[in-house]
Amino acid sequence: MDIKSFTSSIAQITEEKGISLEKVLETIEMAIAAAYKKDYGKKGQTIKAKLNPESGEVKFWQVKLVVDKSMIYSGEELEKMKKKPTASEKETKEEKKVRFNPEKHIMIEEAKRINPKIEAGEELEIPLETKKDYGRIAAQTAKQVILQRIREAEKESIFNEYKSKEGQIISGIVQRVEGKNVFLDIGKTLGILPKEEQVPGEFYRPGQRLKVYLLKVEETPKGPMVFLSRAYPKLISKLFELEVPEILSGQVQIKSIAREPGSRSKIAVSTEIEGIDSIGSMVGQKGTRVMAVINELGGEKIDIIEYSEKPEKYIANSLSPAKVLEVKIMPKNKALAVVPEDQLSLAIGKDGQNVRLAAKLTGWKIDVKTEDQIEIEEKETKKEKNKKKKIKE
């Protein structure tokens, strides 16, 4: 096995696997050291190799731990260890003593003859004769070490890359649908879009390109697992970030999002800069910005409303597109929104969706009624009070 055959593949490996040059070199050095030990070393030895990637030259060292008498078992202690453990032996174990092995250890007196500055507990590197030719078994050992270490390094590289992208939007291509899960090609690995993170009514077909929210990355025995979402509310805010420069610059802030994936969303925005229309910035000229987001979400309706520090105004805005006459703040985080008769169904929405999303957006429990309904309720309450008063009399 020619050492230079390793170096010719380094650039290709780093490019294809996305692994750093240092990591690949470290892997190759471990493999060369394993091959050297297989053909020329002895059992128990620790061999270290250093590869020069430009020249292909390799240097080898045997690594030994420098010990003094206090760090190794005496003959008497070794004899005791053959018998049942005693209290004194337990103490010896706690001191982390070692069985002296001339292939692994070197006494401090001998080590200082090689390196006068070395201390007990340090490692001494003893140069070895450089070898260039290795047998079939050694070559096979080296290959296995390289493959295993590169797989590990690749997994680590993928994990770190996608871990840093948590909370961001990435693009993926649907590769396959397995049961309820959809697998997307997201570059260096596959991402999983679980059933609970899919948009109801959305269909996924192989080859389809989608923007997805990267929820989390988990390490598993099979490698990193990247969990994606199309239903997460922050997907909307991240899509708007791509379309609205004012959000990225901080001129417009997204205060809150409420979403029923695939159907409708509400988003509250604000700005502290005079002359900037926060809603207009989100909508864009002729609705181009908001339409880009709606199209990415497969036609999901989006209501953009203005945020306000005043709960009455904020709640009234949240019921858009319905017009609200008045908002009354009630105890226990409840609010009553008074609307015209012709706005009642619009304020409540189909199956109560509009008021439900408004409540999620603002964090208030919202009740919607018309002036007539309130008047009738007040009359009924008055009648009940009068009845109770007559009974008491």
Side-chain angles (χ1 to χ4, degrees):
M1 179 179 71
D2 183 5
I3 292 297
K4 287 190 178 180
S5 66
F6 276 120
T7 59
S8 63
S9 305
I10 292 176
Q12 189 181 347
I13 293 168
T14 54
E15 193 177 332
E16 285 180 6
K17 304 292 183 182
I19 308 166
S20 68
L21 177 62
E22 291 77 16
K23 205 80 177 174
V24 176
L25 282 174
E26 183 190 316
T27 299
I28 292 172
E29 284 166 355
M30 285 181 69
I32 297 168
Y36 187 102
K37 185 179 174 181
K38 197 82 180 172
D39 272 6
Y40 305 106
K42 292 178 184 176
K43 191 178 178 182
Q45 285 184 341
T46 301
I47 306 292
K48 179 184 172 183
K50 190 70 183 171
L51 169 68
N52 183 327
E54 292 175 11
S55 65
E57 185 188 355
V58 187
K59 291 182 179 178
F60 296 93
W61 294 267
Q62 182 179 354
V63 182
K64 288 187 179 184
L65 177 68
V66 179
V67 293
D68 58 28
K69 286 181 181 178
S70 69
M71 295 169 68
I72 58 172
Y73 288 117
S74 65
E76 197 177 320
E77 285 170 336
L78 289 170
E79 280 299 317
K80 280 183 181 178
M81 286 177 70
K82 291 176 184 176
K83 301 171 187 175
K84 289 184 179 178
T86 62
S88 62
E89 190 203 325
K90 284 177 185 173
E91 287 169 14
T92 307
K93 283 184 178 177
E94 285 170 10
E95 290 169 12
K96 294 181 181 176
K97 289 189 176 184
V98 295
R99 290 172 186 257
F100 186 81
N101 180 339
E103 296 299 343
K104 289 183 179 180
H105 309 113
I106 185 168
M107 295 304 294
I108 183 70
E109 297 80 11
E110 190 183 344
K112 279 193 176 290
R113 284 198 286 270
I114 300 168
N115 178 1
K117 292 182 180 179
I118 203 149
E119 299 293 335
E122 294 179 352
E123 287 184 338
L124 179 69
E125 294 179 356
I126 303 163
L128 294 170
E129 185 187 347
T130 299
K131 304 286 184 180
K132 293 184 179 178
D133 298 311
Y134 301 90
R136 185 180 57 82
I137 295 171
Q140 201 172 353
T141 303
K143 184 182 176 183
Q144 285 170 350
V145 170
I146 285 177
L147 290 174
Q148 184 185 344
R149 292 285 296 174
I150 283 178
R151 274 196 293 268
E152 287 170 7
E154 190 179 4
K155 285 177 184 177
E156 188 184 334
S157 170
I158 289 167
F159 178 82
N160 292 336
E161 180 178 333
Y162 288 99
K163 191 75 182 170
S164 69
K165 290 179 180 177
E166 280 184 349
Q168 293 182 21
I169 278 187
I170 57 172
S171 267
I173 298 169
V174 177
Q175 193 182 72
R176 65 181 190 273
V177 180
E178 274 184 20
K180 293 180 178 179
N181 296 324
V182 180
F183 290 88
L184 286 88
D185 180 350
I186 54 172
K188 291 178 183 174
T189 188
L190 286 181
I192 182 169
L193 184 65
K195 177 67 179 173
E196 60 272 18
E197 296 301 334
Q198 295 169 21
V199 173
E202 201 168 61
F203 295 97
Y204 307 100
R205 61 186 187 277
Q208 181 182 4
R209 183 176 284 277
L210 293 170
K211 283 192 174 75
V212 285
Y213 184 85
L214 205 160
L215 266 183
K216 59 179 177 177
V217 184
E218 288 181 1
E219 276 192 284
T220 71
K222 291 182 179 179
M225 191 166 277
V226 183
F227 291 92
L228 310 170
S229 178
R230 285 277 294 169
Y232 198 65
K234 278 197 173 179
L235 174 69
I236 291 178
S237 63
K238 291 292 178 182
L239 286 171
F240 271 111
E241 278 180 23
L242 297 176
E243 300 295 333
V244 183
E246 289 88 341
I247 296 174
L248 278 178
S249 67
Q251 293 175 308
V252 172
Q253 292 92 37
I254 294 171
K255 291 290 189 178
S256 181
I257 299 168
R259 187 181 183 202
E260 292 189 1
S263 178
R264 191 172 189 173
S265 290
K266 283 184 182 286
I267 183 165
V269 294
S270 74
T271 183
E272 293 175 4
I273 300 167
E274 280 186 36
I276 288 185
D277 175 8
S278 56
I279 294 175
S281 298
M282 298 290 281
V283 173
Q285 197 172 10
K286 296 182 181 178
T288 51
R289 292 174 177 179
V290 72
M291 279 311 298
V293 176
I294 288 170
N295 291 337
E296 182 58 46
L297 297 171
E300 186 174 312
K301 293 183 179 72
I302 298 175
D303 297 334
I304 302 166
I305 67 113
E306 188 180 346
Y307 172 81
S308 174
E309 292 288 348
K310 295 176 182 176
E312 294 91 345
K313 191 179 179 185
Y314 188 24
I315 291 163
N317 292 346
S318 73
L319 288 165
S320 173
K323 290 181 174 66
V324 178
L325 297 171
E326 183 189 5
V327 173
K328 297 177 182 178
I329 299 299
M330 318 287 277
K332 296 181 181 178
N333 210 48
K334 291 181 180 176
L336 174 64
V338 184
V339 298
E341 187 74 43
D342 63 346
Q343 296 288 302
L344 182 63
S345 59
L346 189 62
I348 294 170
K350 189 180 178 183
D351 299 322
Q353 187 186 58
N354 195 55
V355 70
R356 189 167 60 245
L357 282 170
K360 273 188 197 176
L361 187 77
T362 60
W364 287 81
K365 293 171 185 172
I366 304 170
D367 197 5
V368 181
K369 289 176 182 174
T370 64
E371 287 178 305
D372 289 348
Q373 285 175 330
I374 293 168
E375 200 176 313
I376 291 164
E377 280 180 12
E378 284 174 353
K379 284 179 182 176
E380 288 294 324
T381 307
K382 212 171 187 179
K383 278 183 187 177
E384 284 296 318
K385 282 181 181 177
N386 289 336
K387 275 184 186 178
K388 285 176 183 177
K389 198 175 180 182
K390 282 180 183 177
I391 291 166
K392 281 181 183 179
E393 288 172 354

